[in-house]
Amino acid sequence: MGVFSSRLPARLSSNAFSQAVADLRRRRVPLIDLTVTNPTRVSLEYPPALLASLSDSRALSYEPAPFGLASAREAVADAMSSPSVRVSADRVVLTASTSEAYGLLFKLLCDPGDSVLIPQPSYPLFELLTQLDGVEAVPYRLEEHGAWSIDRESVIAACGLRTRAVLVVSPNNPTGSMLRRDDHEWLAAFAQERDLALISDEVFADFPIAPRADASSLLDESRVLTFTLGGLSKSAGLPQVKLGWMVVSGPAGEVAQALERLEVICDTYLSVSTPVQVAAPRLIAESAPVRDVIRTRIHENYRVLVDAAATYPSLRVVPPEGGWSALIQVPETIGEEALVLRLLTDAHVVVHPGYFFDCHRGAHIVVSLLPEPDAFAAGIRACLELAQ
Ligand SMILES: Cc1ncc(COP(=O)(O)O)c(C=O)c1O
C-alpha cells in the first residue's frame, strides 16, 4: 500500500476465529470467555480507594525526568528487591507498559534488520512488537520433558550475525514455565560469547503456582547486559494505569552506556504520566490485596481444572509453574482449529488454540486462569467433554 510502512502486517483483518467470536458477541449470545486476561473484567475485588493517589496535588507540577521521578523509581526498586537481591533505584527505568519497554529496548539495541531471539511457545505480541521497530523476531524453542527447558540447540541455530538480544519470559505465557538455573547459566555464557543482551520479561513473577526449586530470575544477572521487565499491569492487576519498568543489570561499564543511551530515548517520549509516577509508591503498597485475590483466583481455578481433567484419560493439563494461564494437551484427532470453533459454536466457550502461541508439539488449547469461578468451571467442563 503506497505510502504506508511495511512495519505493519500485510493483512490487517482479523482471522476466522475472532470474526466468529465477534459475530456471536454482536448477536448478544452469552459466551464463557476462557481467554480473558484483563483482570478488571473478572469480578475481582479491588480496594475502592486504590486509585485515590492518582489525584495527589503534587502531580500539578511537571518535572520532566527521562527515567521517572526518584520517589517512583525507589518504590519500584524496593518492590523488586528481596533478601537475596538488592535493586538500586538508579538502575530502574519507568515505562508506560512492558510493551513500551520492549519498543525502547529494540531502539536501544537494534538497527533495522537486526534480530532478537524469542521463545516459542510464547506471547503472540512479540511478532508485532519487533516488526513495528523494524526488527526480526527469530524463534528458539522451549521443550517440555516433564519440566520445561530451553532447547539450546535451537538457540544456537537461531542466532545469526545480526542477532542482538535473547528474550526470556519467566513465568512464560502460556506455558507457565520458569527459567531454570542451568538454562540461566548456559544463556549467560552464550550471550557473553556472542555479545548479546538479555531481556527478561518477569511480569508474572508475583504469581507462582508450583515453582521448581531451581527457578531463576535474571534480575541480578551481572555478567551480561540484562533488562528485567515488570509492571503494574500484572503485579497490581492494573493494566489501565499504565506503569511498567525495566531494571538494568550487568557489567558496570555496559550498564552505564546503556543508561546513557536509554536516557536519550526516554527523554524523547517522556511517556509516563506525572500522576502515575507520584502515585507509584502508594499504588505498589496498596495493591497488595489485589495480588492476593489474583493469586487465590488462579490457584482455585487451577485446582478445578486439574480435578476436572483427572477424569479424562485422553487429556493432560501441562503443569504451569506460574502465571495466569494453563495449557491443556488434547488428542490430535480433532485438530486445534476445528476444536476451538466447535467449542465456540456448540458450547459458546471461547478458548485459544495452541497454535496462537506457536505451541509446536501435539495439540493444545490454552485457557486463562482468571475467569470468575462459576464461569470457569462450566467452561472447563464443556472444553474437556468436547476435547476428549
Ligand atoms: C508475557 C507478557 N509480557 C508483557 C505483557 C504486556 O504487559 P503490559 O500491559 O505491561 O504491556 C503481557 C500481557 O499479556 C504478557 O503476557
Side-chain angles (χ1 to χ4, degrees):
M1 264 296 285
V3 300
F4 298 112
S5 162
S6 58
R7 289 171 190 234
L8 276 303
R11 273 188 64 243
L12 297 179
S13 55
S14 50
N15 60 24
F17 177 68
S18 14
Q19 276 167 16
V21 175
D23 186 46
L24 287 170
R25 289 217 162 102
R26 212 171 306 116
R27 287 164 36 211
R28 299 192 184 285
V29 175
L31 300 177
I32 296 182
D33 188 356
L34 299 188
T35 65
V36 64
T37 50
N38 179 345
T40 69
R41 301 292 293 275
V42 289
S43 305
L44 293 169
E45 204 179 317
Y46 286 76
L50 183 56
L51 300 188
S53 50
L54 283 172
S55 59
D56 190 314
S57 62
R58 283 176 295 171
L60 286 168
S61 154
Y62 184 39
E63 291 164 32
F67 293 157
L69 296 176
S71 54
R73 295 169 71 198
E74 275 155 24
V76 170
D78 285 348
M80 301 300 283
S81 294
S82 63
S84 54
V85 182
R86 177 71 223 150
V87 174
S88 160
D90 57 16
R91 290 182 166 203
V92 172
V93 175
L94 301 187
T95 63
S97 66
T98 318
S99 312
E100 190 198 46
Y102 280 115
L104 301 176
L105 290 175
F106 298 150
K107 288 173 187 60
L108 172 73
L109 301 168
C110 302
D111 287 325
D114 282 348
S115 68
V116 296
L117 308 190
I118 60 162
Q120 199 176 63
S122 197
Y123 180 51
L125 209 62
F126 288 140
E127 204 60 50
L128 197 51
L129 283 170
T130 47
Q131 210 180 323
L132 288 176
D133 270 299
V135 174
E136 194 192 350
V138 184
Y140 68 89
R141 282 198 301 274
L142 302 177
E143 294 289 351
E144 194 225 355
H145 305 287
W148 288 92
S149 59
I150 291 177
D151 176 346
R152 298 175 189 178
E153 290 304 316
S154 76
V155 178
I156 296 167
C159 188
L161 290 175
R162 299 202 58 180
T163 305
R164 312 301 310 145
V166 185
L167 272 59
V168 172
V169 187
S170 177
N172 188 26
N173 172 9
T175 58
S177 52
M178 294 189 190
L179 181 68
R180 287 165 33 167
R181 173 49 62 185
D182 62 339
D183 279 340
H184 175 163
E185 292 302 312
W186 181 83
L187 209 50
F190 181 76
Q192 258 182 319
E193 183 190 310
R194 304 287 184 106
D195 202 15
L196 307 173
L198 296 175
I199 300 175
S200 183
D201 180 335
E202 302 188 7
V203 295
F204 290 113
D206 287 311
F207 306 100
I209 298 175
R212 291 163 51 97
D214 61 350
S216 187
S217 163
L218 283 172
L219 194 55
D220 62 342
E221 172 52 53
S222 59
R223 295 158 287 188
V224 184
L225 184 61
T226 301
F227 304 89
T228 302
L229 314 185
L232 291 190
S233 165
K234 309 291 188 262
S235 76
L238 292 173
Q240 75 277 38
V241 165
K242 295 287 157 200
L243 182 66
W245 52 79
M246 58 176 105
V247 176
V248 188
S249 65
E254 286 179 51
V255 169
Q257 287 191 42
L259 287 171
E260 228 183 323
R261 288 163 174 76
L262 265 176
E263 190 168 345
V264 175
I265 303 171
C266 293
D267 198 31
T268 306
Y269 295 103
L270 293 168
S271 59
V272 189
S273 81
T274 300
V276 81
Q277 294 186 49
V278 170
R282 278 183 58 192
L283 285 173
I284 292 171
E286 292 170 17
S287 58
V290 184
R291 278 186 283 288
D292 287 340
V293 291
I294 296 177
R295 280 186 201 122
T296 305
R297 174 68 61 84
I298 59 174
H299 281 252
E300 286 178 1
N301 278 345
Y302 180 58
R303 184 50 35 218
V304 165
L305 170 61
V306 169
D307 290 348
T311 53
Y312 294 87
S314 61
L315 306 176
R316 184 174 78 98
V317 178
V318 182
E321 291 163 62
W324 291 2
S325 54
L327 213 51
I328 307 171
Q329 189 170 10
V330 299
E332 287 182 52
T333 41
I334 315 175
E336 286 180 355
E337 176 127 43
L339 176 60
V340 298
L341 277 169
R342 252 185 84 191
L343 270 165
L344 184 64
T345 49
D346 295 6
H348 298 155
V349 175
V350 191
V351 297
H352 277 137
Y355 74 77
F356 189 75
F357 299 85
D358 289 315
C359 295
H360 44 277
R361 277 198 212 293
H364 298 86
I365 55 175
V366 176
V367 295
S368 163
L369 296 172
L370 278 189
E372 293 173 55
D374 289 347
F376 183 80
I380 286 297
R381 275 197 301 276
C383 284
L384 301 181
E385 219 24 65
L386 267 180
Q388 66 172 320

